Amino acid sequence: MTSSSTTSLPGLSADDSLLLLRASAELSFSSLLITGPDHRIIYANPAFCRMTGYSEDELAGQNPAMLQGPLTEQSVIDKMRNALDKRGSFTGSTINYRKNGRPYLVEWTISPVRDDHGQVRYFLSIQKDITQLQAEQSTGNLFAKAIDAAYDGIFITNQDGVIEFANQGFEIITGYAPNEVVGSKPSILKSGKHDKTFYKGLWRHLNAGLPFRAMVTNRHKNGDEIHCQQTITPVKNAEGRITHFISIIKDMTDRVFEELKLREQASHDPLTGLLNRRGGEIELDVTLMQALEKESPFSVLMADIDDFKAVNDTYGHATGDDVIRIVADILMDETRKTDKCVRWGGEEFIVLLPFCDRSKAMEIAGNIRTAMAGTDIPDVGRVTLSVGVAESGPDDTPASILERVDQQLYSAKNKGKNRVVAD
């Protein structure tokens, strides 16, 4: 940069030019500092004074080295001096100190102002406090690293639902690497376990600017179901318009399986794997409600092992348990997938037959009785079953239908056992 023999700007007088240049410096948001060839401060604009905390009078005649301190990088200062000696200009950044002793990160450019003979008359330094910018960048980098390192899956979509970012936790949970899903939609994870009503509720929340949280069954890349606690939060811009959605998925599969296991243990008989009495009572309530809604009957079978006490007394309880397991297997083999088999207690069993009338129930009961009677049990021989059958009526309650099927079982026992009796 060289000075001119005239200080006038095109179209302006010398006085007006100086006035305008002075005003530009005074009003500039950038910090300006002018030093002489000896690096003593000649001029500091208001922005520089605000940045450093020093007044122009306090700065006048001082060397800018007054702003240096313990954290100022000497290597940067050495490079600056070397550059000014060789090229006359320098750009760099380091830590300087305000008047109150607080450090700040400054980025500055120093350019020489030469006269018509090429001699350096002044140095013009334009400086900027980048402390906040650096902090934001550092925080942003740290934030990005934290998100990527999070164990929970995090992915971000645009307003059209296209994935723009996915972290490593997403890959751990879903099996999909980030580069496999960026540009796709979250429907890649759909398991088919949720109906239209579920997604309608989801979008009603999101379009209203509200976060949505639910247990969601997703599909892993390998095809397995993954049970996730998922939170989706809309992100709005300054105008209040939704621009992105942030989704956080937490893998709850192990917990869900554990809960299912506990529920299984609470509702199933450990010896046979059939529903226990508590589980059977719940299923009976459900079956009765379904029958009333559909105005279609269902049937109940009640089966009892004939002379089971004699088996226990003669062959021991371990053999008795084997017989009970065999009965359970026959019940499962001879009933439909929709039927519910229950170990009602001891050697007594119940089978719930939804949407099944008396005639079909008699057929199923007959097959069960025949299969049991034809089974040769090691050390025991043949063991038989007595079975009662009852078809539901429009006025039935769980207690009333159980009472009727129990009466039919009692009748089968009284008529000689190893038979089926229906109401």
Side-chain angles (χ1 to χ4, degrees):
M1 179 184 295
T2 60
S3 63
S4 173
S5 57
T6 176
T7 58
S8 299
L9 294 174
L12 297 175
S13 66
D15 289 342
D16 286 342
S17 296
L18 288 173
L19 181 64
L20 183 58
L21 290 172
R22 178 82 183 191
S24 298
E26 296 287 314
L27 296 174
S28 174
F29 287 104
S30 296
S31 298
L32 304 179
L33 187 71
I34 298 175
T35 63
D38 60 354
H39 303 297
R40 297 290 173 179
I41 297 172
I42 296 173
Y43 170 76
N45 76 339
F48 188 91
C49 294
R50 287 193 298 271
M51 180 177 71
T52 64
Y54 290 99
S55 68
E56 187 174 1
D57 289 341
E58 290 174 314
L59 293 168
Q62 300 292 328
N63 189 301
M66 66 180 290
L67 302 173
Q68 298 172 16
L71 296 179
T72 302
E73 295 183 63
Q74 188 58 46
S75 60
V76 175
I77 302 303
D78 293 341
K79 287 179 182 178
M80 177 191 69
R81 289 171 178 165
N82 186 52
L84 294 179
D85 289 340
K86 290 184 177 180
R87 303 189 307 271
S89 62
F90 173 77
T91 297
S93 64
T94 190
I95 299 292
N96 273 346
Y97 288 81
R98 296 182 175 88
K99 181 180 178 180
N100 62 11
R102 294 184 63 182
Y104 65 99
L105 182 62
V106 63
E107 181 179 73
W108 80 101
T109 299
I110 303 176
S111 300
V113 180
R114 303 178 187 273
D115 61 20
D116 293 338
H117 303 289
Q119 297 297 312
V120 175
R121 295 288 304 276
Y122 308 101
F123 287 101
L124 173 63
S125 177
I126 302 174
Q127 302 189 10
K128 184 177 182 180
D129 181 353
I130 60 171
T131 306
Q132 184 63 30
L133 176 63
Q134 180 69 17
E136 288 174 356
Q137 290 177 341
S138 298
T139 302
N141 290 335
L142 180 62
F143 183 63
K145 289 178 181 178
I147 287 178
D148 199 40
Y151 187 75
D152 290 344
I154 300 173
F155 64 98
I156 300 173
T157 69
N158 62 19
Q159 60 182 342
D160 297 319
V162 177
I163 298 174
E164 295 185 346
F165 168 84
N167 73 339
Q168 293 180 15
F170 180 90
E171 181 176 3
I172 293 171
I173 294 173
T174 69
Y176 290 99
N179 60 0
E180 293 181 282
V181 296
V182 170
S184 301
K185 292 193 173 184
S187 55
I188 194 173
L189 302 175
K190 268 191 177 180
S191 65
K193 294 294 184 179
H194 303 284
D195 58 17
K196 291 181 179 179
T197 303
F198 174 84
Y199 291 105
K200 189 175 181 180
L202 181 154
W203 283 109
R204 184 164 56 243
H205 274 76
L206 296 183
N207 289 332
L210 301 173
F212 177 84
R213 173 183 256 185
M215 284 295 296
V216 179
T217 302
N218 288 319
R219 182 78 62 188
H220 192 277
K221 184 180 178 180
N222 64 14
D224 292 342
E225 289 182 1
I226 44 177
H227 300 272
C228 302
Q229 183 183 79
Q230 185 162 348
T231 302
I232 308 173
T233 305
V235 178
K236 299 179 181 180
N237 61 15
E239 289 75 38
R241 183 172 59 85
I242 295 174
T243 61
H244 292 82
F245 298 98
I246 298 177
S247 294
I248 301 175
I249 55 176
K250 188 177 184 66
D251 189 357
M252 305 293 285
T253 304
D254 290 343
R255 182 180 296 183
V256 169
F257 282 161
E258 187 64 27
E259 288 178 357
L260 290 174
K261 182 179 177 181
L262 292 174
R263 194 176 301 172
E264 178 91 2
Q265 292 172 348
S267 61
H268 285 71
D269 173 53
L271 178 62
T272 63
L274 303 182
L275 288 168
N276 59 22
R277 187 172 186 127
R278 179 175 177 273
E281 288 172 343
I282 294 171
E283 289 295 338
L284 177 57
D285 288 340
V286 172
T287 304
L288 184 59
M289 285 189 290
Q290 289 176 338
L292 292 173
E293 287 177 4
K294 303 293 184 181
E295 296 183 352
S296 177
F298 72 95
S299 296
V300 179
L301 311 182
M302 183 175 282
D304 187 85
I305 302 173
D306 296 326
D307 304 314
F308 184 71
K309 185 176 183 304
V311 173
N312 263 342
D313 292 345
T314 304
Y315 302 103
H317 290 284
T319 300
D321 287 348
D322 290 339
V323 173
I324 289 173
R325 279 191 286 263
I326 290 170
V327 173
D329 290 342
I330 289 173
L331 292 177
M332 294 298 294
D333 290 342
E334 299 297 334
T335 54
R336 306 166 301 177
K337 290 182 179 179
T338 54
D339 300 333
K340 304 296 181 182
C341 301
V342 185
R343 186 182 178 194
W344 198 244
E347 68 273 21
E348 194 170 64
F349 301 83
I350 276 182
V351 181
L352 303 175
L353 306 172
F355 308 111
C356 180
D357 59 18
R358 179 181 181 277
S359 176
K360 181 63 178 176
M362 285 287 291
E363 179 186 335
I364 294 173
N367 292 340
I368 292 170
R369 187 205 64 77
T370 301
M372 187 64 196
T375 300
D376 191 12
I377 301 173
D379 299 329
V380 177
R382 302 295 174 91
V383 175
T384 61
L385 287 174
S386 295
V387 186
V389 180
E391 180 184 301
S392 68
D395 299 324
D396 258 325
T397 64
S400 66
I401 195 169
L402 287 174
E403 183 179 357
R404 285 193 291 109
V405 75
D406 185 62
Q407 289 172 355
Q408 304 313 310
L409 174 61
Y410 183 77
S411 178
K413 292 284 189 181
N414 283 341
K415 290 180 179 181
K417 304 175 184 177
N418 188 26
R419 67 187 63 235
V420 175
V421 176
D423 58 359

